[in-house]
Amino acid sequence: MARCYFPAQGLESTKRSKIEETGVVDSSPRSRLFELKIVTPKPNRLAIERSALLQRIFRDNDPASVVIFQAPAGHGKTSLMLQVEQLCREQDFFTCWISLDESDNEVRRLMSYFQSRLNSYFQSLSRNSPDSGAAEFLHEAENSTDWVIEQFLAVGKPVGVFIDDLHTINNPATLRFIKDLIRSSPDRIRWFVSSRVLPDLNLSKLLLGEHILIINADELRFSKEETRKVFEVENDLDMSQQDVESIYKDTEGWPAVVQFYRLALQSEAFRSSFSRQNRFYPRGVTDYLAEHVLSQQDEILRSFLLRTSILSTMSSHLCDAVLERNDSCDVLAKLEREGFFVRRLESAEDWFSYHALFSGFLRGQFYRFPQEETSRIHLRAANWYRDNNHLEEALHHYVAARSFEDAVDVFDQWTETLVPDGHLITVDNWFDRLPLDEMLKRPGVVVKLSWVFMFLSRHEKLAKTLPSLRVNLFQDLRVGDPAVALALISILQDEPENAMDYLMSVDLHEPSNHRFRIFELSAVYNIRGYISMAKGQFDTALACFAYSRTLSEQADATFTLAYSLAKSGLSLMFQGHLQDALVHLESSMREPVLHLEESVSKACLACSYIAVLYECDALDEALAQFEQFEEIIENAAIHDYLIICYRAVSRIYQRIGQYEKALKILTDGERLALSGRWPRAAVMMGHERVRFELLHGSLTNAQLIFARLNHSKVSDKAGWVRFSEEIDGARISQIRLLYHEGKLEEAMGLAEQALLQAGQESRVLRQIKLHALVSLCQASLGHLEHAHISLHNALTLAAPGQFLGVFLDEGEALDSLICRHLQWIQSKPQSVNHHHFLNYLSRLISKLPSSLSQVLTTDKRLMDGKVANQSGFEILDALTSREQEVLRLLLMYKTNDQIAQDLYVSRATVKYHLRNIFSKMGVKSRLEAIRLGQLIPAEYLLSSDGKPVEDG
C-alpha cells in the first residue's frame, strides 16, 4: 500500500528567505532591537575594577559553575558582569550575553536569543552550523535544553553565559527552562546571572557541592578603597580622605550612589555645600543627588535626558526623531564620555541605554509634564519604531500615548508573524492591554486572536471573538480567514462535521505569497488530514499532512509543522507501520527547527511519541519523555493527544505495578479534559477506568463507571474513529465489558461488525485489538481452535510492525493464550513458515509476566527447534521489518532514489535505514551488504506488503 508521507529529515533547510522574497516585512521579535538583547554592553570607561570579587569568581582551584549577582538596582551587578565577561574572553571563552526584560517571558523567545547568538558565532567562522561531526551529535538532542547545551559544546571551547536582569522573568515555564539549562550544563559551561531577587532556580544541590557562588548586595558594595578610586578616575575632583570617608559613610558603599556623588560634585554649588549637608541613608540620598545632577545641566541637555528616559534603548536617529533635533549623536557620546549612567550597547550602531536607577528617576520627572506633552513624545517614538519595523516597541509607545487605533494597527501587523511563530502568550498578554472594541473593528485581528485563545484554552476570551468571526465569515479579508479559524475551533470543540462545512468556503487553489495565508492553508490541510484519519482514509490523510508540512516549511511555521509530523506518525502506526512511526517521530522530536517549539504543537508531538513508545514497549523511554514534557503537555495538549498520552502513561504504571500512580494519571487526565472543556476526553478517561477495574477483578465497579459515562460524546459508533479511539473507544470498551460479564456472543457480534469496518478502512492496529478480543471470547466459549485462529490473525498483522503494547494490556487471560499459541503453531506447521514471525512471537512472550516463565521456557525450545541452523537468519534477527524491505530492494541493485520511490518514503529515510542495516550487518558498503545479504533465502525477506516474498 502506498504511504504518502515525509519523514522529518532536513527541515533546517527551510529558509525565511522564501517569505522575504515576497516582500512581506519580517516584524517578528527577531527585529534589530531584538538582536540588541544578545549584544554585550560596552563597559563604562570610568568603572573601577572589582579585583577582590573577580578573584573569588575566577578562583584557580575550583571555580563555581554558577555565579549569581543578587542585589537591588544600583549595586553594580551589570558592571561587574561586564568585567567577568571581558576576563572570560581573554581566557578564550565563547561568551553569550542576554539582557532580559518583561517581554521575554516566553520560552520560544529565550530560545531565539540562544539560537541567534550561536548562529552569529558559527557564521563568523564562515560556516552556518557546527562541523559535520558535531552536527551529527546535535541531531541527537531530544529537547530544547539538550539542544542549547549541545550547541554550546559544539563551539569547542569553554563557554560563559551571562543572563542580565533575570528578575524580569516570572513565567514558570521560562524559569523552568533556565533552571534545566543551568542544572544540566557540564563544567565547561559557566553561568553568570544577575537579579534583583534571588531567583527560584532550585539549585540546592549545586550550592551544597560549592558549585554555585552567590554574591549579594553587601558583597557588591564598594569598599572604602574602591570608593576612593571612584574619585581618582578624574583628577579635577580634589577630594580629601575625610571627604571620601564621609561619602563612604553616607552611601554605605552603594555603587550607584557613589557615582551620583561623583557627578554631583562636578557642580561648584554642590561642592561648597557638601560639608554642610545633613547625612542621608543611601535610598534617601539617591533622588536628592540625581536631582542635583539633573539641575546642574543646561536646559537643552536636561530636556534630552528627560524626554529620552522613556526609551528602553536609544540610538541617535531615534532620539533625533523623538526630540526633533539633529545632534543626538554628539549628546549621547558626551553622556557616555562623562559617565552619565549611559551604557553603549553596540559601538557600530550607536545604541545606548540608561542605567535602570537613573532612568527610573528621569521617568518620574518626565511624567510630571502635562499629559499632552508626554503623549506627544510617546507618539513620536511610536512612529519612528513603526517606520523602522520595530513593531513591539511601536505598540508599547502607542499604548502609552493612548493612540489605540494606531496600536491595534501595529498589533494586527505584528500578530501576522507572532501566531505562525507560536508566540501565543505574547499575543495573549497584549490583548489585555488593548481596548476590545478597537480590536473587534478589525476582522483580521479577531481571526488571529481566535487562534491564540483556542490553543491556550482561553475560553472566556474566545467567547468575545466568536460573534465577530461568524459575522465576517464570508468577508474577503486582506489577512486572516474566519472560516479557517472557525474550522479549527470546531475541531477543538469536538465538532469535526462543522469543521468540514467551514472548510467548504476555503479556496485551496488561490495562489498566495503572504506568510500568514500560507500558514492558514497548512492548518487547513492538517484539519483535512485529521478528518480523513477519522474516516479511515489514511492515504488521503498522509497526503494532506505531507502537503501541510510543505506549506509549513514555506511559511517557516514550526507551529503547524509539529502537528503534521505528529499525525503522520500516528497514521503510520494505525496502518500497522509501527517501526516507521517510531523512526518518524524520533527524528521529528530531535529535529533542530523544532527545538524552539515549546508550545501546544510540541506538546502534541510529544504525546504522539509517548503513545508510539508504549506500543513498542519502550516503557522507560516513554516515562522519561512524559517526565520531560509533562508540564508542557499539561498546559498545552489538546483532547485526542491528551487521551493517548495519559492513557499510555497510566498503562505503563499498571504494567510495572504502581497502581496508585496509574489512577492518579487518569485523575489528572480527567481534570485536564474538564478544564479544557473536552467532555469526550473526560469520557475516554472514564473508559480507561473501566478497563482498569476489569483487569483488577472489580466487575461491579467497572459496570457502575460504564453506566455513568455519556456515550453520546464518543464517535467510534458512527463510522468516525478519532485517533484517540482507534484501539480503545466506546465500542472496544463495551466489547471488553461484555466479555468480562460473560456475554460472549454479544461481545463477538459487536467485535466482528467493528472488524469488518476496520478491515475496509485498513485500520490495522484496530484489527489487531479486535482480533485479540475475539480470541478471548472464543477461548471462554471453549472454542480453542477458533481462539488461536483469531489470535494468529492478530499476531500476523502485528508482526511486521513489532506491536507489543496492544497485546500486553488485556490481562492474564490473553497472556496465557499467547503462551499456549506456540504449541498451537507447532501442531500446525503449515500455519507459519516465516522466521521473522517466530522471532516476533518469542519477543512478545518474553515481555509477559514472570508467572508464565515455565510455559515460555518449554514452548521456546519448540520454537527454537523450528528455526535452528537456518543460514542467514542471524542477519534477519537484527533487522526490523522496514529494514528487511530496504535490504530486499538493495539486493535487487536498486538505487536510493528507486528504493524511496518503491517504498513511498524520502531519500533521507532510505539513507537512515541503510546506515542501520550496514551497522547491524557489520559492513561498510553497499556491495558488502549485498554479498552478505545473498546468504538469506529470498523467501524469508519481507516485501512491501509485509508478507514473505514468493518464488516466481
Side-chain angles (χ1 to χ4, degrees):
M1 181 179 296
R3 294 184 289 283
C4 184
Y5 78 107
F6 295 121
Q9 308 249 358
L11 300 186
E12 64 271 19
S13 62
T14 299
K15 301 295 183 183
R16 189 179 294 271
S17 59
K18 293 179 181 179
I19 298 300
E20 292 173 346
E21 290 171 0
T22 68
V24 178
V25 174
D26 175 15
S27 54
S28 72
R30 296 172 184 269
S31 66
R32 188 67 196 91
L33 295 185
F34 176 91
E35 298 295 336
L36 291 178
K37 295 288 192 74
I38 60 172
V39 172
T40 305
K42 184 178 179 181
N44 190 319
R45 69 178 185 85
L46 300 178
I48 64 166
E49 183 176 294
R50 309 300 303 273
S51 303
L53 290 174
L54 291 172
Q55 287 176 7
R56 287 181 62 194
I57 294 168
F58 288 94
R59 61 192 183 196
D60 293 333
N61 55 340
D62 185 22
S65 57
V66 181
V67 181
I68 296 178
F69 308 91
Q70 184 265 312
H75 277 74
K77 302 183 295 297
T78 302
S79 297
L80 178 55
M81 284 221 303
L82 287 171
Q83 295 182 24
V84 173
E85 194 269 349
Q86 183 175 349
L87 278 176
C88 283
R89 282 189 284 110
E90 290 174 1
Q91 296 178 17
D92 198 31
F93 273 61
F94 166 78
T95 62
C96 175
W97 183 286
I98 300 178
S99 300
L100 298 175
D101 59 38
E102 290 80 0
S103 67
D104 297 316
N105 275 282
E106 197 164 10
V107 174
R108 283 185 58 93
R109 188 151 174 159
L110 194 56
M111 277 288 295
S112 298
Y113 295 142
F114 287 117
Q115 183 189 43
S116 184
R117 175 66 184 99
L118 286 157
N119 284 347
S120 66
Y121 172 76
F122 291 126
Q123 289 168 4
S124 72
L125 301 179
S126 300
R127 54 192 176 100
N128 293 327
S129 61
D131 59 53
S132 58
E136 289 296 321
F137 176 59
L138 293 179
H139 277 274
E140 296 301 314
E142 296 184 353
N143 55 64
S144 53
T145 302
D146 289 348
W147 183 84
V148 172
I149 291 172
E150 291 171 8
Q151 286 271 1
F152 281 143
L153 294 178
V155 169
K157 59 172 69 176
V159 175
V161 186
F162 296 81
I163 307 293
D164 199 14
D165 288 342
L166 182 60
H167 58 270
T168 60
I169 303 301
N170 52 35
N171 178 269
T174 309
L175 284 172
R176 186 190 72 253
F177 173 63
I178 296 172
K179 175 187 70 177
D180 290 345
L181 273 176
I182 293 175
R183 294 176 67 185
S184 303
S185 292
D187 291 341
R188 67 184 297 182
I189 302 176
R190 297 190 68 186
W191 291 82
F192 304 92
V193 179
S194 80
S195 179
R196 295 182 187 177
V197 297
L198 192 62
D200 182 18
L201 297 177
N202 192 21
L203 301 176
S204 55
K205 289 184 179 179
L206 290 174
L207 190 59
L208 288 174
E210 297 186 346
H211 295 296
I212 184 170
L213 173 64
I214 299 176
I215 298 178
N216 59 31
D218 289 338
E219 295 168 299
L220 284 165
R221 295 181 190 280
F222 285 154
S223 65
K224 191 180 297 183
E225 176 62 19
E226 288 172 326
T227 303
R228 181 184 61 78
K229 289 182 179 180
V230 170
F231 295 97
E232 290 179 349
V233 173
E234 294 184 323
N235 296 325
D236 57 342
L237 293 178
D238 185 16
M239 303 291 294
S240 68
Q241 182 65 28
Q242 183 180 0
D243 289 340
V244 171
E245 290 182 358
S246 296
I247 292 173
Y248 178 72
K249 182 179 179 181
D250 278 355
T251 63
E252 299 176 0
W254 193 6
V257 185
V258 173
Q259 295 289 356
F260 270 128
Y261 259 111
R262 181 186 61 78
L263 289 170
L265 286 167
Q266 294 176 2
S267 163
E268 183 65 34
F270 186 82
R271 283 202 304 272
S272 64
S273 64
F274 170 65
S275 60
R276 300 190 300 273
Q277 287 184 51
N278 294 322
R279 298 297 178 235
F280 298 92
Y281 290 104
R283 286 166 181 76
V285 79
T286 304
D287 284 355
Y288 175 78
L289 290 172
E291 191 169 345
H292 267 280
V293 170
L294 187 63
S295 64
Q296 72 187 36
Q297 311 306 316
D298 61 52
E299 179 59 33
I300 294 177
L301 185 56
R302 234 185 353 260
S303 174
F304 183 97
L305 291 169
L306 292 173
R307 285 164 174 78
T308 57
S309 65
I310 60 169
L311 306 174
S312 57
T313 54
M314 52 192 170
S315 69
S316 58
H317 298 296
L318 170 58
C319 293
D320 282 346
V322 170
L323 303 177
E324 297 183 325
R325 55 194 295 169
N326 56 17
D327 62 345
S328 298
C329 183
D330 295 335
V331 176
L332 287 168
K334 176 185 177 182
L335 292 175
E336 181 194 23
R337 186 170 59 251
E338 297 182 358
F340 248 95
F341 293 92
V342 173
R343 180 181 297 122
R344 183 186 292 269
L345 298 181
E346 191 178 17
S347 57
E349 295 291 340
D350 290 332
W351 282 93
F352 299 81
S353 69
Y354 288 118
H355 188 286
L357 199 65
F358 191 43
S359 66
F361 166 78
L362 292 175
R363 281 196 300 273
Q365 300 294 312
F366 171 78
Y367 284 113
R368 293 180 182 177
F369 292 162
Q371 184 176 341
E372 181 181 353
E373 170 70 4
T374 60
S375 295
R376 183 164 57 249
I377 297 299
H378 275 297
L379 197 58
R380 290 176 190 163
N383 290 335
W384 186 91
Y385 281 126
R386 183 176 190 171
D387 292 344
N388 288 273
N389 297 314
H390 303 313
L391 300 186
E392 182 173 16
E393 293 77 12
L395 183 54
H396 167 78
H397 286 283
Y398 278 131
V399 170
R402 302 189 65 77
S403 180
F404 294 121
E405 183 175 353
D406 289 319
V408 175
D409 283 343
V410 169
F411 186 56
D412 189 6
Q413 184 180 354
W414 193 28
T415 50
E416 290 175 18
T417 299
L418 287 175
V419 175
D421 283 347
H423 291 279
L424 308 186
I425 294 174
T426 298
V427 178
D428 186 42
N429 289 340
W430 274 106
F431 170 83
D432 295 331
R433 299 177 58 184
L434 295 168
L436 178 62
D437 58 345
E438 196 66 46
M439 288 184 282
L440 293 178
K441 293 176 184 177
R442 293 163 176 78
V445 171
V446 173
V447 167
K448 288 168 281 189
L449 286 173
S450 300
W451 276 77
V452 172
F453 297 154
M454 61 181 148
F455 282 112
L456 293 181
S457 296
R458 304 289 195 262
H459 301 292
E460 290 75 16
K461 292 180 178 179
L462 182 60
K464 296 175 182 178
T465 62
L466 273 175
S468 178
L469 277 181
R470 295 185 176 118
V471 166
N472 293 288
L473 179 58
F474 300 108
Q475 296 295 319
D476 185 14
L477 305 180
R478 185 187 68 85
V479 175
D481 190 335
V484 178
L486 287 166
L488 275 169
I489 292 170
S490 298
I491 292 293
L492 293 178
Q493 292 179 342
D494 266 332
E495 298 171 347
E497 298 89 345
N498 291 345
M500 291 176 62
D501 293 339
Y502 286 123
L503 292 184
M504 294 293 291
S505 65
V506 178
D507 186 354
L508 298 176
H509 304 291
E510 178 185 358
S512 175
N513 288 327
H514 197 287
R515 184 188 181 204
F516 193 84
R517 182 56 177 172
I518 299 171
F519 165 74
E520 283 185 313
L521 292 176
S522 70
V524 168
Y525 279 98
N526 269 332
I527 297 171
R528 287 165 63 100
Y530 173 85
I531 293 172
S532 296
M533 283 177 71
K535 291 181 173 181
Q537 301 166 355
F538 288 105
D539 284 348
T540 301
L542 286 167
C544 287
F545 299 142
Y547 195 58
S548 174
R549 172 183 164 174
T550 299
L551 292 171
S552 296
E553 291 176 348
Q554 186 179 347
D556 195 16
T558 57
F559 184 58
T560 47
L561 175 63
Y563 281 113
S564 60
L565 294 173
K567 287 194 279 281
S568 292
L570 292 174
S571 294
L572 290 169
M573 178 173 70
F574 297 148
Q575 286 184 289
H577 310 298
L578 181 61
Q579 299 306 311
D580 287 345
L582 180 63
V583 170
H584 173 82
L585 290 172
E586 249 178 7
S587 57
S588 298
M589 291 293 291
R590 294 175 178 175
E591 206 29 83
V593 300
L594 291 179
H595 288 144
L596 286 173
E597 185 61 60
E598 289 283 345
S599 63
V600 184
S601 53
K602 184 63 172 284
C604 295
L605 184 60
C607 288
S608 303
Y609 186 39
I610 289 167
V612 168
L613 286 170
Y614 170 75
E615 283 301 331
C616 294
D617 202 53
L619 306 188
D620 290 340
E621 178 62 18
L623 285 180
Q625 291 291 324
F626 182 69
E627 181 179 350
Q628 179 180 327
F629 291 102
E630 182 176 8
E631 188 170 344
I632 298 174
I633 292 170
E634 183 172 336
N635 292 328
I638 55 180
H639 45 56
D640 286 304
Y641 298 96
L642 186 76
I643 296 165
I644 63 174
C645 175
Y646 277 73
R647 183 168 61 203
V649 173
S650 177
R651 292 186 180 187
I652 291 171
Y653 282 127
Q654 292 174 59
R655 289 269 306 280
I656 62 179
Q658 297 187 26
Y659 301 115
E660 289 186 6
K661 281 191 175 180
L663 287 173
K664 181 183 181 301
I665 289 293
L666 293 181
T667 300
D668 291 343
E670 288 170 335
R671 172 179 55 80
L672 294 172
L674 292 172
S675 65
R677 300 186 184 180
W678 301 314
R680 181 176 62 87
V683 170
M684 293 296 295
M685 289 296 158
H687 282 301
E688 189 60 19
R689 284 189 182 275
V690 171
R691 176 194 162 277
F692 181 92
E693 296 295 341
L694 290 174
L695 267 59
H696 288 80
S698 301
L699 176 60
T700 302
N701 287 347
Q703 291 170 323
L704 289 172
I705 295 171
F706 189 88
R708 288 199 301 265
L709 297 176
N710 184 351
H711 299 111
S712 66
K713 297 298 181 184
V714 296
S715 63
D716 71 345
K717 290 184 177 180
W720 287 71
V721 183
R722 292 166 202 172
F723 64 77
S724 61
E725 303 173 34
E726 190 75 26
I727 57 169
D728 254 292
R731 177 75 66 91
I732 288 176
S733 181
Q734 184 183 11
I735 293 168
R736 184 184 291 117
L737 179 60
L738 290 169
Y739 160 72
H740 282 271
E741 289 175 331
K743 301 175 182 178
L744 304 175
E745 297 288 353
E746 185 178 353
M748 287 176 59
L750 288 176
E752 287 168 357
Q753 290 176 16
L755 265 171
L756 180 62
Q757 179 185 340
Q760 292 170 345
E761 297 172 352
S762 299
R763 298 183 184 274
V764 174
L765 182 54
R766 188 171 177 84
Q767 291 178 69
I768 294 170
K769 174 62 77 174
L770 289 166
H771 278 304
L773 290 172
V774 169
S775 72
L776 285 174
C777 293
Q778 290 168 330
S780 293
L781 287 168
H783 304 157
L784 293 181
E785 181 68 17
H786 292 295
H788 281 292
I789 292 173
S790 293
L791 179 58
H792 197 71
N793 289 335
L795 292 168
T796 301
L797 289 169
Q802 300 284 298
F803 284 92
L804 298 171
V806 68
F807 294 104
L808 298 173
D809 54 19
E810 285 301 335
E812 295 179 2
L814 187 59
D815 293 345
S816 178
L817 191 60
I818 290 170
C819 277
R820 295 198 300 272
H821 195 64
L822 275 174
Q823 295 175 335
W824 183 83
I825 288 175
Q826 186 194 30
S827 68
K828 307 219 181 294
Q830 73 280 6
S831 64
V832 58
N833 57 6
H834 196 263
H835 178 77
H836 179 78
F837 177 88
L838 297 173
N839 276 338
Y840 162 68
L841 184 55
S842 174
R843 182 169 175 239
L844 174 58
I845 292 175
S846 71
K847 301 289 185 179
L848 298 176
S850 58
S851 60
L852 298 169
S853 59
Q854 185 173 0
V855 178
L856 169 62
T857 303
T858 302
D859 288 346
K860 192 171 189 305
R861 286 199 299 269
L862 297 173
M863 186 194 73
D864 288 343
K866 288 179 66 70
V867 299
N869 303 317
Q870 299 187 52
S871 176
F873 285 146
E874 294 84 358
I875 299 170
L876 282 176
D877 286 343
L879 301 182
T880 67
S881 58
R882 176 45 62 94
E883 288 165 355
Q884 289 187 42
E885 292 181 57
V886 174
L887 180 58
R888 177 180 63 83
L889 297 172
L890 183 65
L891 294 175
M892 298 168 64
Y893 296 93
K894 292 200 173 187
T895 66
N896 287 1
D897 287 334
Q898 290 171 329
I899 295 173
Q901 184 176 1
D902 286 355
L903 297 181
Y904 299 95
V905 298
S906 70
R907 190 172 185 273
T909 298
V910 173
K911 291 173 67 177
Y912 173 88
H913 287 307
L914 285 175
R915 284 198 300 269
N916 288 340
I917 292 169
F918 292 174
S919 175
K920 293 176 181 180
M921 296 178 73
V923 300
K924 296 182 179 179
S925 69
R926 299 172 75 91
L927 286 177
E928 289 180 29
I930 289 170
R931 291 192 191 103
L932 189 57
Q934 287 170 344
L935 296 174
I936 306 171
E939 65 269 18
Y940 288 100
L941 280 171
L942 291 181
S943 64
S944 59
D945 60 2
K947 299 178 181 179
V949 178
E950 297 181 0
D951 293 335

